[in-house]
Each structure stands twice: as structure tokens, then as C-alpha cells.
Amino acid sequence: MIVKSPAPTSRGRRTRAALVQAGREAFEAHGYDAVRIDDVCRRAGVSHGTFYTYFGSKEALFGEVAEAVVGEMFAASVVGAAAPGDPYARIEAANRLYLRAWAANSRLVRMLEQAATGTDRFGRLLLELREVFVRRGAEGLRRLQDQGLADPALDPRLTAIMLGGMVEHFARVWLDLGEQADEQVAVDHLTRLWARAIGLTEASAPAEEGT
């Protein structure tokens, strides 16, 4: 189907945004396979024909929803300049923010993973989601290595992939499979494991209780 290209008017942008939001709500509520275009149109308050003005298919709409999720998860997990400068505290903050970003988007991430097995576009989106976190972790490790605070023998990218995988797997087990754990305890354990794995020096980590 040929999709028309509406002029980027304010009304057009609002309609497109309403469709994306309606699609997101529908996918989260019912899952990708169960959602029909009519369901999305009803939620957005637009006609069936209006949908095709902006999207050629349900798959195209889901692609845009997935792209929004990727961007939101990255933005939501950015520690930022206002966070403590201590490396250990920043790793802790990053782990906490990642778990919260996963909790807010886990259902859609699972749908993206399922869709990625059969669609190249979704496969690339999934890789992009992981890549932004890998790149950020690798850059952070390089800075610590340059400052003499982390093991210089570690390959930054491989280390970021492996430790990021640890955090991602825990997020699945905890938030998707129902493993019981207090958030602060979980964040503390993830941070200790991450810091010890990269050889973060004692000078950069908080003193142990009683020392």
C-alpha cells in the first residue's frame, strides 16, 4: 500500500502522535498479534482511512512505537551531570535508572525481541537498544581506565557487553519472571558485582561498613 505524505502541519503532527500513543497503549494492553488497526483508530479517535495517511501497516506503527521506546529507555537511564562524581555512585545510579526504565517498558521490549526474529527492521532496533547501553558502558570504563581507577587489561566493549548482559538478565528475572528482591538490595548487588569486575579501586568505592 502506498502511504501518502501529509504536510507536516501542527494538526498532522498531533494526529500522528495520537496514533503512536494509541498504538503503544494497545500493544501494551493486548500484545502485538491481538491488536487490530481498528482498535488503534478507536483509541486515537480517528478514521481507518486516517491511519493509512500516516502508516502503511500495523507493523509500521509498531516500528515507530519501538523506536520511541528505545529513545525513552536511553534518556531515562542517563545519569547526568547532576549525579555524584564518585565513580561507584554513578554506576549505582546507572543501574537503578536502567532497572526503572526496563520496568516501564518491559512488555514492549519483549514484543520487540519476538518481532526481531522475523523482521530485519526490528532486529536492527533491538541491536540499537543494546548498542546505546554498550557504547555508554564502554566509554565510562575507558574513562576510569584513563584515570587509573579500573583494570587496564579489560577490553572496554567486551566488558560492557558482558556486564550489561548481567544487568539485563537480572531485570528480566526480577521484573518479568517475578523474582522477589528489594530494589535497593538488587541495585547494591549489581553495583558491587560491576565495580569488582572492573577492578574499581577502593579509593573510588564507598568504605565498607565499620571501616
Side-chain angles (χ1 to χ4, degrees):
M1 175 175 292
I2 297 175
V3 181
K4 292 180 286 183
S5 300
T9 62
S10 296
R11 181 178 180 182
R13 288 191 292 271
R14 287 196 301 270
T15 301
R16 186 183 188 90
L19 284 166
V20 172
Q21 181 60 33
R24 180 170 187 162
E25 292 171 359
F27 293 135
E28 287 181 327
H30 305 296
Y32 180 83
D33 290 337
V35 171
R36 299 176 305 167
I37 290 174
D38 284 342
D39 300 328
V40 176
C41 293
R42 194 176 304 113
R43 284 175 179 265
V46 303
S47 69
H48 197 85
T50 297
F51 177 91
Y52 286 108
T53 300
Y54 297 92
F55 299 100
S57 63
K58 182 177 75 169
E59 180 180 296
L61 174 63
F62 181 72
E64 187 143 337
V65 170
E67 287 177 0
V69 169
V70 169
E72 287 176 17
M73 286 189 69
F74 180 73
S77 59
V78 171
V79 174
D86 173 70
Y88 189 96
R90 292 185 67 82
I91 293 172
E92 181 179 44
N95 285 331
R96 179 177 291 105
L97 290 172
Y98 181 86
L99 291 181
R100 291 178 179 177
W102 184 281
N105 297 283
S106 63
R107 185 164 171 78
L108 283 167
V109 172
R110 290 198 304 273
M111 284 183 225
L112 175 57
E113 290 173 336
Q114 292 171 356
T117 61
T119 306
D120 288 344
R121 178 187 180 185
F122 297 145
R124 289 192 298 271
L125 272 175
L126 186 60
L127 287 175
E128 180 182 336
L129 174 60
R130 292 196 170 123
E131 180 61 23
V132 293
F133 290 104
V134 168
R135 190 182 309 121
R136 189 163 68 193
E139 290 170 354
L141 177 53
R142 287 190 190 95
R143 286 194 297 270
L144 292 175
Q145 289 173 323
D146 291 343
Q147 296 166 17
L149 300 176
D151 184 349
L154 293 173
D155 180 281
R157 180 173 175 82
L158 287 178
T159 303
I161 291 171
M162 293 172 184
L163 293 179
M166 171 187 71
V167 180
E168 180 182 339
H169 180 70
F170 174 75
R172 291 174 184 282
V173 173
W174 183 42
L175 297 165
D176 297 340
L177 301 182
E179 178 67 26
Q180 297 300 304
D182 175 77
E183 180 189 88
Q184 183 53 45
V185 173
V187 170
D188 177 69
H189 277 61
L190 287 171
T191 305
R192 288 174 182 270
L193 290 169
W194 189 296
R196 290 174 183 175
I198 66 173
L200 191 63
T201 63
E202 288 297 322
S204 300
E208 296 291 339
E209 188 174 330
T211 60

